[in-house]
Amino acid sequence: MLTGRRNKEFPQLRDVVYLDHTGATLPCVSQLDAFQRDLRNNLYGNPHSRSASSSLCSETVDQVRFRILKHFNTTAEKHTVIFTSGCTGALKLLAETFDWTGQTGSCSAGDGSTQSDHQNGVQCKDRQMGTFAYLQDNHTSVIGMREVAHSRGAKSMCFTSKGIQEAMNRPDGHSDSGNHSTAKDHATLHTQEATLSPTSQQRVTNGPLASSPCNLFAMPAQSNFCGRKYPLAWIERIKCKGLSGCHGNWYVVLDAAALVSTSPLDLSECKADFITISFYKMFGFPTGLGALIVRNSAANVLVKEYFGGGTVMAYLATENFNKPRTSVAERFEDGTIPFLDIISLRHGFDALDRLGGGMNDICEHTFTLAKQVHNALYEWKHDNGSPIAVLYCHNHFVSIHDQGPIINFNLLRATGQYIGYAEVERLAALHDIHLRTGCFCNTGACQQYLNISNEKIKANLDAGHVCGDDMDLIDGLPTGSIRISFGYMSNQSDVDRFLAFIKSTIKVSAAPSTLIPSSSTSSSDSSLKEVSRSSVLSTQSQLPMATAVLSSSTSTKSISSTRPSGIPDTCTSSESASKSSDCSPSASLSLAASSPPATSTSLSSPPISVPPESQTDIPMHGSDNTDAQFPQPSLNGNNLAAKTDSGISQTVQTSGPTEIDAAGPRLTAIYLYPVKSCGAMEVSEWELTDAGLKYDRRWMVVNEGGVYMSQKRIPKLCLIRPVVDLQTKQLVLTYPDMRSFSLPLETVPLETNETTLCQGKVCGDRVKTIDCGDEVAQWLTEVTGQHCRLQKQAEDHQRASKLAQGDDSKSSALSLANVSHYLLINKSSTTSLLNAIHQHAHEDNTETTTVSTLDNLIRRFRANLVVDGCDTYDEESWSELSIQGQAFKVKGRCNRCQMIGIDQGSGEKSTETLSALSAVRGKRIFFGMHIMNSPDLRNGFKLRTGDIIEVLQRCPSVETSV
Ligand SMILES: *Cc1c(COP(=O)(O)O)cnc(C)c1O
């Protein structure tokens, strides 16, 4: 990062050398400003509510989930983000929900049970018990999982990196490496009651069990002590072959908190089942937010016990009953998630992206800086030739692949004596250098590298040394060390100033006594004398192992309701129906009145007013509300304008049995909506594709946070009229009183650059989209007055319709439309509705209605196809159609939402359309039919206005509601 830029982005670093990025890295100014702006400009409500502000919030949060997954090169199909209070929170959640005893049966795929007993050591005798195995070089927060595992009946094993490699190489042999010990009594006999939560009681009654236990192995992706990167290849080996012959399935949790602050992590490659991170380690803000990233295929092994706000579908206060939600994230995020913090993450990722080089560049940059320091500490000598430092380092910065930008060391005097870390820290402070000392929440690694035995740790504790104090030397030997770590904004001047500081310190320390002001840590502290030096030098320390035994009554199968479904986040079709905010992808029609594109002819119709007494009631077809009566418009001289296939308006009679066209229904208008939720483009003939009308709903408008913006959020969008110009192969966007904007139809300005790819979300499923660039974003922002961008559906991305089943699946590809390929409305039905609206207005003594014309009403429904020449609501009985010999399936009625309240010519909202519709149609407001291609769509097939519609099949009552 250029010095000027760093000064601007990190004013907090102006005078200091900050070298504790593994402790916490720093947020930059542009990130914080963008977040503030975001909060000022957007109304985010509690995501559990159902208001517009709530849905904006939850959709923005979902976009952040995608952003996180994208950062780690995976997708929501493979992984789920569960937000937690931090990396520690994620590890704790995992420990508490992991199915240690295989109750869910998710581990029963194991190799049966008979074979293992005789050949395994003590640890694996009881096949109901899972094992928690972990590397000694783990963060405290990982080691702490052990206690939860014990309380649930699992055993634990601690491995050095050498030990784990031996164990991996001897997957079914005896584990005699000495790295795991036997029972540790404090953990063993927790009372049965303590572990019998209501849920486990339910499980107990649920009958006989299962199954092999589930085992969990925990390793850091990068040691927070010394920066060692552990081989991710271990993960797959452990998952495949297990460890030390322990029976059952193995799962792996990768503590990636330290790694991801300066390195890429590719989850498409990494086989870990669980990955834990903290975001302040990546970009400094917010603190107190992390994630448990779960491989979806492993989600079944998490058993939910506690439930809190938002995580259950139903529960009883008076009875022991609850049903967790099915999506993984929803089940495990109890209470209101910290939604503003989560929304701020986008600005953190943006800050990383603005650097331009991605995590690989950050990785290289920080490694290069750290390596200079490492080499200096390694090579520099005192005048007498003795080394200046002891480095605690695995491989001396040989390779970027096994070393992160962390240097851990202690300084030595020329005499060979240690300089206490607390002393160094105080000196550093005088130089405005911020570093970290002690054991870094990683006692295991500290013991290994500093060669401190368990006995010594305990003796030191007895002697008064606790984590975090400044008793840096006991008996002349260090109780901890010094760690410096680099972040993406670190620069050469940080290195230079640090090395200058080391030089001066070494000089000072060459003198027999230090010039540093008093320290309680002098090596001659008499109270510590009795701690024997030899104990410090004892051999490789081992953490005690523990075995816990739990009554088998808790090891029963979990009730099925507690099992997560494998696939998170995906609406079922019924859910999507109710959520489907605007039926719109296929839902309605709009033509902006202002500047019609050359290729279209706008509808025009005179205002009509139908006296109420002229109406007749007819029974409706296919309605679920048989009480509803439909006012039937009578013509009484009120002829309505309609287009014929020639495109010339003529007056036709629109309704009433006698007016039915002898030739049957005809197609009278075709509309596409190239940009979802923007204005319509009317055409007289148009090519069909597997996903509907060519170019229909291929683009969409998103806000800065990547959230899809519909007319419900920005009503003005209907005034943007996109025109597909097939001649010039351009999409032309027009807006009243604005210069138009053209962009290529096919060759999207995509530099096949991954960062321009982004995932959108339509009705709960995910769409791969391509960002169309800054220029059009600028245009849209001018038009709407909000920061907006245009995205195009990626060509390779196929969405499947929720309405498709069985043989339809081939033909069910969708554009950005929510539900189906085409939405069809019947002009007679629309006329009838118009009459009802006018009747309502009349009854209410409302003189004016904004729905003055048939044209206006048709546009509100944003249909693709308008038919005429058949009875009012006749379309609701259709189930199969043929047009020019090409078959189409009718999939059901379209459930309407508030979007039909938006006047597509003005962007004004009113409620009368929806209330009239609900008055005449009952509670579920259906209008128009969803149509799908049949699988045999002819290549290049074109629909034309005037096409005769043959109704091949009818069903008396279409109950599909979408
Ligand atoms: C920082 C860190 C943690 C703990 O993260 P919190 O945000 O404090 O929960 C865990 N593991 C590693 C490797 C870390 O670096």
Side-chain angles (χ1 to χ4, degrees), residues 17 68 131 145 188 195 211 237 352 365 426 447 507 532-533 581 771 811 835 860 904 927 932:
V17 177
I68 294 166
T131 300
M145 297 171 75
T188 21
T195 52
S211 65
R237 281 167 71 189
L352 294 183
H365 168 70
R426 272 187 291 273
Q447 284 188 285
K507 236 181 247 148
S532 112
R533 184 181 177 112
S581 39
D771 189 274
S811 58
N835 292 339
R860 287 169 186 257
Q904 296 293 307
F927 197 85
M932 300 286 282

Side-chain angles (χ1 to χ4, degrees), residues 599-604 642-650 666-669 682-685 944-946:
T599 44
S600 73
T601 320
S602 62
L603 289 168
S604 67
K643 260 165 40 99
T644 64
D645 40 353
S646 64
I648 297 160
S649 290
Q650 64 170 129
R666 282 176 307 118
L667 199 54
T668 66
E682 183 177 8
V683 293
S684 53
E685 68 168 38
R944 297 189 180 82
T945 51

Side-chain angles (χ1 to χ4, degrees), residues 450-736:
L450 277 70
N451 224 352
I452 308 174
S453 70
N454 292 346
E455 293 67 35
K456 177 75 179 175
I457 293 272
K458 289 176 187 166
N460 287 354
L461 176 64
D462 291 341
H465 171 56
V466 296
C467 287
D469 67 15
D470 59 0
M471 230 180 247
D472 53 0
L473 296 175
I474 292 178
D475 232 18
L477 291 174
T479 62
S481 54
I482 301 156
R483 181 185 75 187
I484 64 170
S485 51
F486 291 88
Y488 75 83
M489 71 300 286
S490 299
N491 63 15
Q492 188 62 39
S493 107
D494 295 326
V495 170
D496 296 343
R497 283 182 62 182
F498 180 74
L499 290 179
F501 155 73
I502 291 291
K503 266 202 177 119
S504 73
T505 307
I506 293 307
K507 236 181 247 148
V508 170
S509 69
S513 73
T514 123
L515 301 179
I516 306 309
S518 77
S519 133
S520 64
T521 61
S522 90
S523 56
S524 57
D525 189 331
S526 61
S527 70
L528 302 176
K529 277 261 163 70
E530 64 266 29
V531 179
S532 112
R533 184 181 177 112
S534 64
S535 69
V536 179
L537 300 173
S538 71
T539 52
Q540 173 65 63
S541 61
Q542 292 147 20
L543 286 186
M545 283 305 104
T547 302
V549 181
L550 248 200
S551 138
S552 65
S553 62
T554 59
S555 317
T556 53
K557 254 191 163 155
S558 128
I559 57 167
S560 60
S561 69
T562 65
R563 273 179 224 173
S565 84
I567 305 152
D569 272 17
T570 313
C571 293
T572 67
S573 66
S574 62
E575 276 170 339
S576 70
S578 58
K579 270 192 201 171
S580 136
S581 39
D582 38 283
C583 283
S584 67
S586 52
S588 35
L589 243 182
S590 81
L591 280 173
S594 46
S595 51
T599 44
S600 73
T601 320
S602 62
L603 289 168
S604 67
S605 61
I608 58 165
S609 86
V610 181
E613 64 273 20
S614 69
Q615 296 178 351
T616 54
D617 292 340
I618 58 157
M620 67 188 283
H621 301 272
S623 163
D624 52 355
N625 182 347
T626 49
D627 295 335
Q629 298 288 293
F630 284 88
Q632 179 76 3
S634 102
L635 296 179
N636 287 352
N638 288 302
N639 290 341
L640 301 172
K643 260 165 40 99
T644 64
D645 40 353
S646 64
I648 297 160
S649 290
Q650 64 170 129
T651 52
V652 295
Q653 297 174 318
T654 53
S655 60
T658 53
E659 276 79 46
I660 298 306
D661 189 332
R666 282 176 307 118
L667 199 54
T668 66
I670 303 170
Y671 300 98
L672 52 148
Y673 305 85
V675 183
K676 188 171 152 70
S677 227
C678 288
M681 168 177 172
E682 183 177 8
V683 293
S684 53
E685 68 168 38
W686 203 253
E687 186 179 336
L688 305 191
T689 70
D690 286 342
L693 289 163
K694 196 168 185 181
Y695 302 117
D696 185 35
R697 289 155 177 132
R698 288 312 160 108
W699 290 265
M700 67 177 180
V701 178
V702 300
N703 74 359
E704 276 184 302
V707 172
Y708 159 61
M709 290 288 111
S710 74
Q711 283 185 26
K712 284 195 289 183
R713 291 189 169 132
I714 309 180
K716 272 184 180 174
L717 287 179
C718 66
L719 303 180
I720 296 176
R721 304 193 56 201
V723 179
V724 174
D725 188 333
L726 295 172
Q727 245 83 57
T728 62
K729 298 193 164 51
Q730 301 268 309
L731 175 72
V732 184
L733 303 177
T734 68
Y735 189 83

Side-chain angles (χ1 to χ4, degrees), residues 86-88 139 224 255 257-258 278 280-281:
C87 178
T88 301
H139 192 276
N224 71 317
D255 174 3
S278 260
Y280 70 92
K281 299 222 175 159

